[in-house]
Amino acid sequence: MVDLTRKYDVLVIGGGNAALCAAISARRSGAEVLVLEGAPKFYRGGNTRHTRNMRCAHDAATDILTGPYTEQEFFDDLLRVTDGQTDEELARHMIRESKDILDWIVKQGVRWQPSLGGTLSLGRTNSFFLGGGRAMLNALYLTAEQLGVQILYDAEVVDLEIDHGMFVSATLKQREAAVSVRASTMVAASGGFEANIEWLKQYWGAAADNFLIRGTPYNRGSILKMLLQKGVQQVGDPTQCHAVAIDARAPKFDGGIITRHDSVVFGIVVNNRALRFYDEGEDIWPKRYAIWGRLVAAQPDQIAYIIFDASSRNSFMPTLFPPIESGSITSLASQLDLDAEVLEKTVAEFNAAVKPGTFDHTILDDCRTEGLTPPKSHWARRIETPPYYAYPVRPGITFTYLGTRVNKQARMVMSDGKPAANMFAAGEIMAGNVLGKGYAAGIGMTIGSVFGRIAGREAAQNARN
């Protein structure tokens, strides 16, 4: 039984990768730590349950990484996907610290496996968790428990007492009662507000009703909202988020990574008017897959269709839902409730614009279109080999970028620009410091692990002082 009458050194609010890294780091620094996970034990871990890999800088190949990934290359990739909208000092600090995470996370019980195939092309840059995100989480929870970290599930925090930048206590909903939990320091690692549809609608309008939430339904942003209301400085654009195209047949919440489609580069994407709307071959997939959620969100009724043919059927990792199949473009249009004449014209114009080259989805190849708007810059091949296939897709929101501003010590910054006395943040709740927009595969786990480790260490030191 967790003793809620005592005062802890470090209170961690959240239960995913960032929270566990913070808890373990704080405990290894000598602190008495309590973790409050708002979800039931079975659903513990937030969005970490649905992850597969982490992007870390490293100077040489390893047993599971095929080559070096320098700090500068990592930073260049981050600049490219964010269009420069990142806190450079904080981003470079994170990237530098990520080099240690590869070994540190293994010491916490996590194991790596070689890169998955398909269209990921991440064998050099990203380390994959053996058994996926849930196995990674289980390892972290086991380590935390063995170290003596106290963990409470179904622990919804309904209020925070903060006095001029100093955390005093958290009010916890326990059955029908409210319990006050005291600690010398607090780490917020409770995610974004992506599961709060009403909050999303404040920025997206009615379109948000058509969004699907890839991860946990428990990330409703309540802790984030409390912190901002109580004087923590806001960072990030509330409309920016990690959003990918996921299968339109996926559940509203918690569909996970198996609903994501990596087939875009092998075909074309049309909206419900049967028209293309963006370059499907703009860049290597791990640097572009996270733009497709926002692209689909901007289309009529927030739906689109990935169209490809038999030549590409086995070129990418399969998803939970099978593609819709038909012997002709006309009959495929009928199944999708699209205008057959328009879709036939769209496909014909695309095919006529394709300039043949040497196809290679792992590089920026020379297969492109000419004279077509929008173009397909790479990996363009004619769609002409039946049967023809389609996936219906909607915006799949992973996490939002509105968050709390932090410094290099993961300490929250108050609205007056001064650092908080004893409050720290890690993971999605502060990801907007690094991700102003865009996304690169695996960087969410980097943010969580790096800043979680820092937050725990700094919180423990703060508690001692």
Side-chain angles (χ1 to χ4, degrees), residues 137-170:
L137 265 175
N138 288 343
L140 293 179
Y141 268 99
L142 179 61
T143 296
E145 289 164 354
Q146 290 174 339
L147 289 172
V149 172
Q150 298 294 297
I151 301 167
L152 189 63
Y153 299 103
D154 285 307
E156 182 184 358
V157 174
V158 294
D159 195 19
L160 296 173
E161 184 182 354
I162 296 171
D163 182 15
H164 294 88
M166 175 173 284
F167 169 79
V168 179
S169 67

PDB file of all heavy atoms in Angstrom, residues 137-170:
ATOM      1  N   LEU A 137       8.358  -0.412 -21.460  1.00  0.00           N
ATOM      2  CA  LEU A 137       7.686   0.088 -20.261  1.00  0.00           C
ATOM      3  C   LEU A 137       7.754  -0.910 -19.110  1.00  0.00           C
ATOM      4  O   LEU A 137       8.047  -0.540 -17.973  1.00  0.00           O
ATOM      5  CB  LEU A 137       6.216   0.355 -20.568  1.00  0.00           C
ATOM      6  CG  LEU A 137       5.806   1.762 -20.963  1.00  0.00           C
ATOM      7  CD1 LEU A 137       4.334   1.761 -21.329  1.00  0.00           C
ATOM      8  CD2 LEU A 137       6.071   2.754 -19.841  1.00  0.00           C
ATOM      9  N   ASN A 138       7.481  -2.158 -19.411  1.00  0.00           N
ATOM     10  CA  ASN A 138       7.503  -3.183 -18.365  1.00  0.00           C
ATOM     11  C   ASN A 138       8.880  -3.257 -17.702  1.00  0.00           C
ATOM     12  O   ASN A 138       8.990  -3.435 -16.484  1.00  0.00           O
ATOM     13  CB  ASN A 138       7.118  -4.548 -18.945  1.00  0.00           C
ATOM     14  CG  ASN A 138       5.639  -4.630 -19.284  1.00  0.00           C
ATOM     15  OD1 ASN A 138       4.835  -3.819 -18.822  1.00  0.00           O
ATOM     16  ND2 ASN A 138       5.268  -5.607 -20.101  1.00  0.00           N
ATOM     17  N   ALA A 139       9.925  -3.110 -18.520  1.00  0.00           N
ATOM     18  CA  ALA A 139      11.284  -3.141 -17.975  1.00  0.00           C
ATOM     19  C   ALA A 139      11.517  -1.952 -17.047  1.00  0.00           C
ATOM     20  O   ALA A 139      12.095  -2.095 -15.955  1.00  0.00           O
ATOM     21  CB  ALA A 139      12.300  -3.138 -19.112  1.00  0.00           C
ATOM     22  N   LEU A 140      11.068  -0.769 -17.460  1.00  0.00           N
ATOM     23  CA  LEU A 140      11.252   0.420 -16.630  1.00  0.00           C
ATOM     24  C   LEU A 140      10.451   0.325 -15.336  1.00  0.00           C
ATOM     25  O   LEU A 140      10.941   0.704 -14.261  1.00  0.00           O
ATOM     26  CB  LEU A 140      10.856   1.676 -17.403  1.00  0.00           C
ATOM     27  CG  LEU A 140      11.739   2.061 -18.595  1.00  0.00           C
ATOM     28  CD1 LEU A 140      11.208   3.316 -19.274  1.00  0.00           C
ATOM     29  CD2 LEU A 140      13.191   2.254 -18.172  1.00  0.00           C
ATOM     30  N   TYR A 141       9.217  -0.166 -15.420  1.00  0.00           N
ATOM     31  CA  TYR A 141       8.412  -0.313 -14.203  1.00  0.00           C
ATOM     32  C   TYR A 141       9.052  -1.320 -13.243  1.00  0.00           C
ATOM     33  O   TYR A 141       9.089  -1.097 -12.028  1.00  0.00           O
ATOM     34  CB  TYR A 141       6.985  -0.752 -14.559  1.00  0.00           C
ATOM     35  CG  TYR A 141       6.038   0.402 -14.754  1.00  0.00           C
ATOM     36  CD1 TYR A 141       5.717   0.858 -16.028  1.00  0.00           C
ATOM     37  CD2 TYR A 141       5.475   1.061 -13.673  1.00  0.00           C
ATOM     38  CE1 TYR A 141       4.850   1.933 -16.219  1.00  0.00           C
ATOM     39  CE2 TYR A 141       4.599   2.131 -13.843  1.00  0.00           C
ATOM     40  CZ  TYR A 141       4.296   2.568 -15.124  1.00  0.00           C
ATOM     41  OH  TYR A 141       3.448   3.621 -15.295  1.00  0.00           O
ATOM     42  N   LEU A 142       9.565  -2.412 -13.791  1.00  0.00           N
ATOM     43  CA  LEU A 142      10.196  -3.421 -12.937  1.00  0.00           C
ATOM     44  C   LEU A 142      11.408  -2.827 -12.228  1.00  0.00           C
ATOM     45  O   LEU A 142      11.588  -3.026 -11.011  1.00  0.00           O
ATOM     46  CB  LEU A 142      10.607  -4.629 -13.782  1.00  0.00           C
ATOM     47  CG  LEU A 142      11.309  -5.760 -13.028  1.00  0.00           C
ATOM     48  CD1 LEU A 142      10.399  -6.339 -11.942  1.00  0.00           C
ATOM     49  CD2 LEU A 142      11.748  -6.868 -13.998  1.00  0.00           C
ATOM     50  N   THR A 143      12.215  -2.094 -12.958  1.00  0.00           N
ATOM     51  CA  THR A 143      13.390  -1.467 -12.352  1.00  0.00           C
ATOM     52  C   THR A 143      12.978  -0.467 -11.282  1.00  0.00           C
ATOM     53  O   THR A 143      13.550  -0.440 -10.180  1.00  0.00           O
ATOM     54  CB  THR A 143      14.241  -0.775 -13.431  1.00  0.00           C
ATOM     55  OG1 THR A 143      14.745  -1.764 -14.336  1.00  0.00           O
ATOM     56  CG2 THR A 143      15.410  -0.014 -12.820  1.00  0.00           C
ATOM     57  N   ALA A 144      11.982   0.361 -11.599  1.00  0.00           N
ATOM     58  CA  ALA A 144      11.515   1.348 -10.629  1.00  0.00           C
ATOM     59  C   ALA A 144      11.039   0.676  -9.347  1.00  0.00           C
ATOM     60  O   ALA A 144      11.378   1.108  -8.228  1.00  0.00           O
ATOM     61  CB  ALA A 144      10.401   2.194 -11.243  1.00  0.00           C
ATOM     62  N   GLU A 145      10.259  -0.379  -9.492  1.00  0.00           N
ATOM     63  CA  GLU A 145       9.729  -1.089  -8.325  1.00  0.00           C
ATOM     64  C   GLU A 145      10.855  -1.712  -7.509  1.00  0.00           C
ATOM     65  O   GLU A 145      10.851  -1.663  -6.271  1.00  0.00           O
ATOM     66  CB  GLU A 145       8.733  -2.151  -8.782  1.00  0.00           C
ATOM     67  CG  GLU A 145       7.432  -1.557  -9.312  1.00  0.00           C
ATOM     68  CD  GLU A 145       6.609  -2.561 -10.108  1.00  0.00           C
ATOM     69  OE1 GLU A 145       7.100  -3.692 -10.338  1.00  0.00           O
ATOM     70  OE2 GLU A 145       5.480  -2.208 -10.512  1.00  0.00           O
ATOM     71  N   GLN A 146      11.832  -2.310  -8.203  1.00  0.00           N
ATOM     72  CA  GLN A 146      12.954  -2.939  -7.501  1.00  0.00           C
ATOM     73  C   GLN A 146      13.799  -1.910  -6.745  1.00  0.00           C
ATOM     74  O   GLN A 146      14.386  -2.224  -5.712  1.00  0.00           O
ATOM     75  CB  GLN A 146      13.818  -3.713  -8.493  1.00  0.00           C
ATOM     76  CG  GLN A 146      13.146  -4.959  -9.040  1.00  0.00           C
ATOM     77  CD  GLN A 146      13.953  -5.642 -10.141  1.00  0.00           C
ATOM     78  OE1 GLN A 146      14.809  -5.024 -10.784  1.00  0.00           O
ATOM     79  NE2 GLN A 146      13.691  -6.919 -10.370  1.00  0.00           N
ATOM     80  N   LEU A 147      13.828  -0.681  -7.270  1.00  0.00           N
ATOM     81  CA  LEU A 147      14.579   0.381  -6.606  1.00  0.00           C
ATOM     82  C   LEU A 147      13.827   0.990  -5.426  1.00  0.00           C
ATOM     83  O   LEU A 147      14.397   1.754  -4.652  1.00  0.00           O
ATOM     84  CB  LEU A 147      14.912   1.489  -7.615  1.00  0.00           C
ATOM     85  CG  LEU A 147      15.952   1.162  -8.680  1.00  0.00           C
ATOM     86  CD1 LEU A 147      16.010   2.285  -9.718  1.00  0.00           C
ATOM     87  CD2 LEU A 147      17.331   0.939  -8.055  1.00  0.00           C
ATOM     88  N   GLY A 148      12.538   0.671  -5.318  1.00  0.00           N
ATOM     89  CA  GLY A 148      11.742   1.196  -4.211  1.00  0.00           C
ATOM     90  C   GLY A 148      10.894   2.398  -4.554  1.00  0.00           C
ATOM     91  O   GLY A 148      10.367   3.071  -3.647  1.00  0.00           O
ATOM     92  N   VAL A 149      10.719   2.689  -5.835  1.00  0.00           N
ATOM     93  CA  VAL A 149       9.804   3.750  -6.242  1.00  0.00           C
ATOM     94  C   VAL A 149       8.377   3.311  -5.927  1.00  0.00           C
ATOM     95  O   VAL A 149       7.975   2.188  -6.251  1.00  0.00           O
ATOM     96  CB  VAL A 149       9.948   4.057  -7.749  1.00  0.00           C
ATOM     97  CG1 VAL A 149       8.861   5.019  -8.216  1.00  0.00           C
ATOM     98  CG2 VAL A 149      11.330   4.619  -8.055  1.00  0.00           C
ATOM     99  N   GLN A 150       7.599   4.181  -5.309  1.00  0.00           N
ATOM    100  CA  GLN A 150       6.199   3.885  -5.010  1.00  0.00           C
ATOM    101  C   GLN A 150       5.339   4.286  -6.219  1.00  0.00           C
ATOM    102  O   GLN A 150       5.535   5.366  -6.791  1.00  0.00           O
ATOM    103  CB  GLN A 150       5.743   4.651  -3.771  1.00  0.00           C
ATOM    104  CG  GLN A 150       6.505   4.279  -2.507  1.00  0.00           C
ATOM    105  CD  GLN A 150       6.230   2.850  -2.081  1.00  0.00           C
ATOM    106  OE1 GLN A 150       5.103   2.485  -1.753  1.00  0.00           O
ATOM    107  NE2 GLN A 150       7.267   2.017  -2.089  1.00  0.00           N
ATOM    108  N   ILE A 151       4.413   3.427  -6.598  1.00  0.00           N
ATOM    109  CA  ILE A 151       3.587   3.675  -7.791  1.00  0.00           C
ATOM    110  C   ILE A 151       2.124   3.484  -7.435  1.00  0.00           C
ATOM    111  O   ILE A 151       1.745   2.465  -6.840  1.00  0.00           O
ATOM    112  CB  ILE A 151       3.974   2.724  -8.943  1.00  0.00           C
ATOM    113  CG1 ILE A 151       5.452   2.926  -9.306  1.00  0.00           C
ATOM    114  CG2 ILE A 151       3.075   2.964 -10.164  1.00  0.00           C
ATOM    115  CD1 ILE A 151       6.026   1.846 -10.197  1.00  0.00           C
ATOM    116  N   LEU A 152       1.317   4.465  -7.808  1.00  0.00           N
ATOM    117  CA  LEU A 152      -0.120   4.390  -7.552  1.00  0.00           C
ATOM    118  C   LEU A 152      -0.860   4.547  -8.877  1.00  0.00           C
ATOM    119  O   LEU A 152      -0.625   5.510  -9.620  1.00  0.00           O
ATOM    120  CB  LEU A 152      -0.543   5.487  -6.584  1.00  0.00           C
ATOM    121  CG  LEU A 152      -1.980   5.419  -6.046  1.00  0.00           C
ATOM    122  CD1 LEU A 152      -2.203   4.144  -5.229  1.00  0.00           C
ATOM    123  CD2 LEU A 152      -2.283   6.649  -5.190  1.00  0.00           C
ATOM    124  N   TYR A 153      -1.741   3.598  -9.192  1.00  0.00           N
ATOM    125  CA  TYR A 153      -2.528   3.628 -10.432  1.00  0.00           C
ATOM    126  C   TYR A 153      -3.920   4.204 -10.161  1.00  0.00           C
ATOM    127  O   TYR A 153      -4.330   4.355  -9.012  1.00  0.00           O
ATOM    128  CB  TYR A 153      -2.645   2.219 -11.015  1.00  0.00           C
ATOM    129  CG  TYR A 153      -1.314   1.612 -11.375  1.00  0.00           C
ATOM    130  CD1 TYR A 153      -0.715   0.645 -10.566  1.00  0.00           C
ATOM    131  CD2 TYR A 153      -0.643   2.020 -12.517  1.00  0.00           C
ATOM    132  CE1 TYR A 153       0.512   0.091 -10.880  1.00  0.00           C
ATOM    133  CE2 TYR A 153       0.594   1.466 -12.852  1.00  0.00           C
ATOM    134  CZ  TYR A 153       1.167   0.509 -12.024  1.00  0.00           C
ATOM    135  OH  TYR A 153       2.389  -0.028 -12.346  1.00  0.00           O
ATOM    136  N   ASP A 154      -4.641   4.494 -11.259  1.00  0.00           N
ATOM    137  CA  ASP A 154      -5.965   5.129 -11.144  1.00  0.00           C
ATOM    138  C   ASP A 154      -5.859   6.375 -10.273  1.00  0.00           C
ATOM    139  O   ASP A 154      -6.777   6.702  -9.509  1.00  0.00           O
ATOM    140  CB  ASP A 154      -6.994   4.165 -10.540  1.00  0.00           C
ATOM    141  CG  ASP A 154      -7.440   3.123 -11.543  1.00  0.00           C
ATOM    142  OD1 ASP A 154      -7.868   3.496 -12.655  1.00  0.00           O
ATOM    143  OD2 ASP A 154      -7.346   1.925 -11.226  1.00  0.00           O
ATOM    144  N   ALA A 155      -4.747   7.068 -10.413  1.00  0.00           N
ATOM    145  CA  ALA A 155      -4.439   8.188  -9.520  1.00  0.00           C
ATOM    146  C   ALA A 155      -4.622   9.499 -10.280  1.00  0.00           C
ATOM    147  O   ALA A 155      -3.661  10.109 -10.755  1.00  0.00           O
ATOM    148  CB  ALA A 155      -3.015   8.054  -8.992  1.00  0.00           C
ATOM    149  N   GLU A 156      -5.857   9.943 -10.392  1.00  0.00           N
ATOM    150  CA  GLU A 156      -6.161  11.172 -11.126  1.00  0.00           C
ATOM    151  C   GLU A 156      -5.912  12.390 -10.249  1.00  0.00           C
ATOM    152  O   GLU A 156      -6.528  12.548  -9.196  1.00  0.00           O
ATOM    153  CB  GLU A 156      -7.612  11.168 -11.599  1.00  0.00           C
ATOM    154  CG  GLU A 156      -7.976  12.396 -12.411  1.00  0.00           C
ATOM    155  CD  GLU A 156      -9.434  12.437 -12.803  1.00  0.00           C
ATOM    156  OE1 GLU A 156     -10.181  11.488 -12.472  1.00  0.00           O
ATOM    157  OE2 GLU A 156      -9.841  13.428 -13.450  1.00  0.00           O
ATOM    158  N   VAL A 157      -5.017  13.262 -10.689  1.00  0.00           N
ATOM    159  CA  VAL A 157      -4.744  14.510  -9.977  1.00  0.00           C
ATOM    160  C   VAL A 157      -5.760  15.547 -10.436  1.00  0.00           C
ATOM    161  O   VAL A 157      -5.875  15.845 -11.619  1.00  0.00           O
ATOM    162  CB  VAL A 157      -3.310  15.000 -10.252  1.00  0.00           C
ATOM    163  CG1 VAL A 157      -3.088  16.378  -9.625  1.00  0.00           C
ATOM    164  CG2 VAL A 157      -2.299  13.998  -9.703  1.00  0.00           C
ATOM    165  N   VAL A 158      -6.508  16.104  -9.493  1.00  0.00           N
ATOM    166  CA  VAL A 158      -7.576  17.049  -9.833  1.00  0.00           C
ATOM    167  C   VAL A 158      -7.224  18.490  -9.475  1.00  0.00           C
ATOM    168  O   VAL A 158      -7.932  19.418  -9.865  1.00  0.00           O
ATOM    169  CB  VAL A 158      -8.908  16.641  -9.162  1.00  0.00           C
ATOM    170  CG1 VAL A 158      -9.402  15.324  -9.734  1.00  0.00           C
ATOM    171  CG2 VAL A 158      -8.753  16.556  -7.635  1.00  0.00           C
ATOM    172  N   ASP A 159      -6.128  18.695  -8.737  1.00  0.00           N
ATOM    173  CA  ASP A 159      -5.721  20.064  -8.426  1.00  0.00           C
ATOM    174  C   ASP A 159      -4.256  20.069  -8.011  1.00  0.00           C
ATOM    175  O   ASP A 159      -3.720  19.064  -7.516  1.00  0.00           O
ATOM    176  CB  ASP A 159      -6.579  20.655  -7.298  1.00  0.00           C
ATOM    177  CG  ASP A 159      -6.440  22.169  -7.178  1.00  0.00           C
ATOM    178  OD1 ASP A 159      -5.978  22.798  -8.156  1.00  0.00           O
ATOM    179  OD2 ASP A 159      -6.797  22.707  -6.119  1.00  0.00           O
ATOM    180  N   LEU A 160      -3.613  21.211  -8.240  1.00  0.00           N
ATOM    181  CA  LEU A 160      -2.233  21.416  -7.812  1.00  0.00           C
ATOM    182  C   LEU A 160      -2.184  22.685  -6.968  1.00  0.00           C
ATOM    183  O   LEU A 160      -2.720  23.722  -7.366  1.00  0.00           O
ATOM    184  CB  LEU A 160      -1.308  21.586  -9.023  1.00  0.00           C
ATOM    185  CG  LEU A 160      -1.160  20.403  -9.981  1.00  0.00           C
ATOM    186  CD1 LEU A 160      -0.349  20.828 -11.199  1.00  0.00           C
ATOM    187  CD2 LEU A 160      -0.501  19.214  -9.292  1.00  0.00           C
ATOM    188  N   GLU A 161      -1.534  22.598  -5.829  1.00  0.00           N
ATOM    189  CA  GLU A 161      -1.305  23.793  -5.027  1.00  0.00           C
ATOM    190  C   GLU A 161       0.093  24.316  -5.351  1.00  0.00           C
ATOM    191  O   GLU A 161       1.108  23.642  -5.086  1.00  0.00           O
ATOM    192  CB  GLU A 161      -1.411  23.495  -3.527  1.00  0.00           C
ATOM    193  CG  GLU A 161      -1.272  24.760  -2.679  1.00  0.00           C
ATOM    194  CD  GLU A 161      -1.329  24.494  -1.185  1.00  0.00           C
ATOM    195  OE1 GLU A 161      -1.589  23.336  -0.783  1.00  0.00           O
ATOM    196  OE2 GLU A 161      -1.104  25.452  -0.404  1.00  0.00           O
ATOM    197  N   ILE A 162       0.126  25.492  -5.963  1.00  0.00           N
ATOM    198  CA  ILE A 162       1.391  26.107  -6.370  1.00  0.00           C
ATOM    199  C   ILE A 162       1.408  27.532  -5.829  1.00  0.00           C
ATOM    200  O   ILE A 162       0.473  28.305  -6.060  1.00  0.00           O
ATOM    201  CB  ILE A 162       1.537  26.110  -7.905  1.00  0.00           C
ATOM    202  CG1 ILE A 162       1.593  24.670  -8.434  1.00  0.00           C
ATOM    203  CG2 ILE A 162       2.773  26.889  -8.340  1.00  0.00           C
ATOM    204  CD1 ILE A 162       1.515  24.556  -9.934  1.00  0.00           C
ATOM    205  N   ASP A 163       2.466  27.856  -5.120  1.00  0.00           N
ATOM    206  CA  ASP A 163       2.571  29.172  -4.483  1.00  0.00           C
ATOM    207  C   ASP A 163       3.794  29.901  -5.035  1.00  0.00           C
ATOM    208  O   ASP A 163       4.927  29.574  -4.696  1.00  0.00           O
ATOM    209  CB  ASP A 163       2.693  29.005  -2.971  1.00  0.00           C
ATOM    210  CG  ASP A 163       2.749  30.342  -2.225  1.00  0.00           C
ATOM    211  OD1 ASP A 163       2.411  31.375  -2.832  1.00  0.00           O
ATOM    212  OD2 ASP A 163       3.148  30.332  -1.045  1.00  0.00           O
ATOM    213  N   HIS A 164       3.537  30.885  -5.930  1.00  0.00           N
ATOM    214  CA  HIS A 164       4.615  31.687  -6.517  1.00  0.00           C
ATOM    215  C   HIS A 164       5.742  30.809  -7.087  1.00  0.00           C
ATOM    216  O   HIS A 164       6.925  31.000  -6.786  1.00  0.00           O
ATOM    217  CB  HIS A 164       5.198  32.664  -5.480  1.00  0.00           C
ATOM    218  CG  HIS A 164       4.223  33.711  -5.045  1.00  0.00           C
ATOM    219  ND1 HIS A 164       3.346  33.527  -3.992  1.00  0.00           N
ATOM    220  CD2 HIS A 164       3.965  34.943  -5.539  1.00  0.00           C
ATOM    221  CE1 HIS A 164       2.601  34.619  -3.848  1.00  0.00           C
ATOM    222  NE2 HIS A 164       2.958  35.494  -4.781  1.00  0.00           N
ATOM    223  N   GLY A 165       5.352  29.871  -7.916  1.00  0.00           N
ATOM    224  CA  GLY A 165       6.338  29.023  -8.579  1.00  0.00           C
ATOM    225  C   GLY A 165       6.850  27.872  -7.748  1.00  0.00           C
ATOM    226  O   GLY A 165       7.768  27.158  -8.173  1.00  0.00           O
ATOM    227  N   MET A 166       6.264  27.667  -6.586  1.00  0.00           N
ATOM    228  CA  MET A 166       6.677  26.550  -5.733  1.00  0.00           C
ATOM    229  C   MET A 166       5.542  25.552  -5.589  1.00  0.00           C
ATOM    230  O   MET A 166       4.441  25.902  -5.151  1.00  0.00           O
ATOM    231  CB  MET A 166       7.116  27.035  -4.350  1.00  0.00           C
ATOM    232  CG  MET A 166       7.448  25.887  -3.385  1.00  0.00           C
ATOM    233  SD  MET A 166       8.143  26.438  -1.815  1.00  0.00           S
ATOM    234  CE  MET A 166       9.809  26.844  -2.331  1.00  0.00           C
ATOM    235  N   PHE A 167       5.814  24.302  -5.953  1.00  0.00           N
ATOM    236  CA  PHE A 167       4.838  23.234  -5.759  1.00  0.00           C
ATOM    237  C   PHE A 167       4.718  22.907  -4.274  1.00  0.00           C
ATOM    238  O   PHE A 167       5.731  22.761  -3.573  1.00  0.00           O
ATOM    239  CB  PHE A 167       5.263  21.981  -6.529  1.00  0.00           C
ATOM    240  CG  PHE A 167       4.471  20.757  -6.175  1.00  0.00           C
ATOM    241  CD1 PHE A 167       3.205  20.576  -6.707  1.00  0.00           C
ATOM    242  CD2 PHE A 167       4.981  19.811  -5.302  1.00  0.00           C
ATOM    243  CE1 PHE A 167       2.454  19.453  -6.364  1.00  0.00           C
ATOM    244  CE2 PHE A 167       4.244  18.689  -4.967  1.00  0.00           C
ATOM    245  CZ  PHE A 167       2.973  18.508  -5.499  1.00  0.00           C
ATOM    246  N   VAL A 168       3.481  22.817  -3.810  1.00  0.00           N
ATOM    247  CA  VAL A 168       3.217  22.487  -2.407  1.00  0.00           C
ATOM    248  C   VAL A 168       2.609  21.094  -2.277  1.00  0.00           C
ATOM    249  O   VAL A 168       3.093  20.257  -1.508  1.00  0.00           O
ATOM    250  CB  VAL A 168       2.290  23.540  -1.760  1.00  0.00           C
ATOM    251  CG1 VAL A 168       2.009  23.170  -0.305  1.00  0.00           C
ATOM    252  CG2 VAL A 168       2.901  24.936  -1.868  1.00  0.00           C
ATOM    253  N   SER A 169       1.533  20.854  -3.049  1.00  0.00           N
ATOM    254  CA  SER A 169       0.855  19.562  -2.942  1.00  0.00           C
ATOM    255  C   SER A 169      -0.020  19.317  -4.170  1.00  0.00           C
ATOM    256  O   SER A 169      -0.307  20.239  -4.939  1.00  0.00           O
ATOM    257  CB  SER A 169      -0.011  19.500  -1.673  1.00  0.00           C
ATOM    258  OG  SER A 169      -1.088  20.421  -1.783  1.00  0.00           O
ATOM    259  N   ALA A 170      -0.410  18.081  -4.332  1.00  0.00           N
ATOM    260  CA  ALA A 170      -1.350  17.696  -5.384  1.00  0.00           C
ATOM    261  C   ALA A 170      -2.571  17.084  -4.727  1.00  0.00           C
ATOM    262  O   ALA A 170      -2.452  16.348  -3.734  1.00  0.00           O
ATOM    263  CB  ALA A 170      -0.718  16.688  -6.341  1.00  0.00           C
TER     264      ALA A 170
END
